[in-house]
Amino acid sequence: MNTHLTLGLALLFILLAALASLTLFYRQRTYRRAGSVRQLLELADRLESDLKTCRAGLQQAHAVMSLNPDLPTTGEQEARHAIDAGLRSLLQQRIWIRDKAPRATQQELDEAAITMSAARQRLQPLLTGLNQAQHALDNAVREHIRREP
């Protein structure tokens, strides 16, 4: 009778340990998925901010350099179209996050985050160049103003 009680307690302990392990696994999986979705939303916010910063910088540079700021040049129109396309693509990504992320696999969530991070990395040198060009343009305008009688 002691043997049956010991065996029963051992089986109960094994079942409880398995249940605790399974619960821990699902909890970690849920936390990871929630973290991935949160990361996607943060990346989307940062990418949107980068694109809007780029658009504002281009508009400011065009206004300073243009003889008629109300008429965009061909290069400015192409840049504006590229930024608008980026914002449309970002909107599609946000819709995917809203509609598909809750049922997406962890791999799909990770791939979406990698894609968005890569887009931000490709945009960073352009933002840096735009910022440098804006500073150079500002300096040139100040210098021109100083030289005028």
Side-chain angles (χ1 to χ4, degrees), residues 7 24 27 30 45 68 72 75 95 109 120 126 128 146 148:
L7 185 58
L24 182 61
R27 184 173 287 166
T30 300
D45 290 344
N68 186 352
I95 291 170
L109 294 173
R120 282 198 75 220
L126 300 174
T128 300
R146 276 189 227 144
E148 285 187 353

Side-chain angles (χ1 to χ4, degrees), residues 48-60 79 83 123 126-127 130:
E48 181 177 9
S49 176
D50 291 345
L51 287 166
K52 287 181 176 180
T53 297
C54 190
R55 179 172 58 192
L58 287 171
Q59 287 172 341
Q60 182 180 5
I83 292 169
L123 190 57
L126 300 174
L127 286 169
L130 181 60

Side-chain angles (χ1 to χ4, degrees), residues 104-145:
T105 66
Q106 186 62 49
Q107 181 179 352
E108 290 171 322
L109 294 173
D110 293 343
E111 288 172 0
I114 289 168
T115 300
M116 208 173 298
S117 290
R120 282 198 75 220
Q121 288 174 355
R122 286 190 307 272
L123 190 57
Q124 288 308 310
L126 300 174
L127 286 169
T128 300
L130 181 60
N131 191 31
Q132 290 170 347
Q134 187 64 48
H135 285 299
L137 185 58
D138 290 345
N139 289 338
V141 168
R142 278 195 292 277
E143 186 63 31
H144 179 74
I145 290 172

Side-chain angles (χ1 to χ4, degrees), residues 81-114:
H81 289 306
I83 292 169
D84 289 345
L87 288 167
R88 279 190 301 278
S89 177
L90 179 60
L91 177 60
Q92 290 174 340
Q93 188 70 20
R94 285 186 186 274
I95 291 170
W96 182 90
I97 293 168
R98 182 195 69 200
D99 295 345
K100 306 288 183 183
R103 292 177 306 282
T105 66
Q106 186 62 49
Q107 181 179 352
E108 290 171 322
L109 294 173
D110 293 343
E111 288 172 0
I114 289 168

Side-chain angles (χ1 to χ4, degrees), residues 2-50:
N2 247 349
T3 307
H4 292 297
L5 183 60
T6 305
L7 185 58
L9 287 174
L11 284 175
L12 181 61
F13 178 72
I14 291 170
L15 285 174
L16 287 175
L19 182 60
S21 296
L22 190 59
T23 301
L24 182 61
F25 170 77
Y26 282 114
R27 184 173 287 166
Q28 287 175 336
R29 181 177 173 229
T30 300
Y31 288 148
R32 182 171 181 212
R33 289 180 59 73
S36 294
V37 171
R38 189 172 38 258
Q39 178 189 20
L40 279 172
L41 292 171
E42 288 171 3
L43 284 167
D45 290 344
R46 290 182 195 137
L47 182 56
E48 181 177 9
S49 176
D50 291 345

